[in-house]
Amino acid sequence: MSASKICVVVVSGSLERLQMAAMVASVAAVSEHEVLVFLSMNALPHFVKGAAAAAPAEGEMGRLMAEKKAPPFKMLFEQAAALGSARIYPCSMAMDVLGVDKAALEDYLEEATGLTRFLDLASGGQVWTF
Amino acid sequence: MAERKIVDGRGSFCPGPLMELIAALKTVEVGDELEVLSTDKGSANDIPEWVNKVGHEYLSTREENGVWYIVVRRKK
């Protein structure tokens, strides 16, 4: 039984927002929801293979999460795709701006997707924006 | 007799222990039990909710010295 469609739009590159987006996507994906994730703006560079820069914390919670053993947000997104059925789409505009192709991005991401297609895919679903 | 497998999620935070449980559920047979060890109280509350929602069987929770032991059975 699919409970509902949940669309997670991630545009921030901050640790707290990426972490919360990953938590929503992963738990929803393993709880029989249909999950679509759209990565754009400052979120996308974190999904380039070998990305060196750690996501910066906005505040105390982010710093504490980095110190303690919170599951890394990229691992949660990967689990959302592997253990659930989340589909994670990189924004084609952000890829053009960054100058990267699909091969440069983490393997669990889907094909480059523009807003027109994502809006169509997201039609009728809840939208969570980070 | 059904097997019981330990899933050691100690030291991790939500949703780490839950995700470890879900990965482990795929490796056991229907009817087998899993015991999740968690130091995260939030996960101790969340795991039974998830188990009941998706149709597995929640058996018990006990806490000992800051560690929660949550036992579930794979039902499908």
Side-chain angles (χ1 to χ4, degrees):
Chain A
M1 178 189 75
S2 181
S4 63
K5 181 175 3 181
I6 294 182
C7 307
V8 180
V9 178
V10 197
V11 297
S12 171
S14 85
L15 177 58
E16 289 89 336
R17 289 170 192 272
L18 286 161
Q19 188 76 20
M20 196 66 222
M23 290 165 66
V24 169
S26 58
V27 174
V30 298
S31 300
E32 302 181 349
H33 294 280
E34 179 185 0
V35 176
L36 311 175
V37 179
F38 190 64
L39 302 173
S40 188
M41 300 297 176
N42 293 326
L44 191 63
H46 294 291
F47 296 85
V48 175
K49 285 176 185 165
E58 288 181 339
E60 184 183 4
M61 282 301 294
R63 287 188 289 276
L64 286 170
M65 283 192 303
E67 282 173 21
K68 298 191 176 182
K69 204 178 163 188
F73 65 84
K74 286 175 75 172
M75 185 181 84
L76 290 176
F77 277 121
E78 187 169 9
Q79 288 176 330
L83 298 176
S85 54
R87 285 170 286 156
I88 304 173
Y89 298 97
C91 167
S92 54
M93 178 282 290
M95 288 173 68
D96 288 344
V97 171
L98 278 176
V100 296
D101 58 14
K102 184 183 185 306
L105 298 174
E106 298 290 355
D107 292 333
Y108 51 89
L109 269 56
E110 306 281 337
E111 296 291 332
T113 301
L115 266 180
T116 303
R117 177 161 181 250
F118 189 77
L119 290 172
D120 188 43
L121 293 170
S123 177
Q126 299 178 37
V127 179
W128 296 60
T129 306
F130 296 90
Chain B
M1 184 177 164
E3 298 287 327
R4 179 178 287 189
K5 182 174 181 176
I6 303 295
V7 180
D8 192 351
R10 288 177 295 179
S12 186
F13 288 88
C14 175
L18 173 63
M19 301 307 283
E20 290 183 36
L21 167 65
I22 292 162
L25 275 166
K26 293 179 186 290
T27 69
V28 301
E29 303 293 326
V30 172
D32 285 351
E33 295 178 4
L34 292 131
E35 184 172 47
V36 184
L37 280 54
S38 175
T39 46
D40 177 49
K41 189 177 180 182
S43 293
N45 293 326
D46 221 27
I47 286 173
E49 291 272 351
W50 180 85
V51 168
N52 289 328
K53 175 179 167 53
V54 304
H56 294 298
E57 186 177 0
Y58 165 63
L59 297 175
S60 66
T61 299
R62 67 186 167 86
E63 188 264 333
E64 209 174 288
N65 299 322
V67 179
W68 279 264
Y69 299 80
I70 308 133
V71 183
V72 307
R73 179 179 289 132
R74 180 174 174 177
K75 292 288 282 185
K76 59 182 185 179

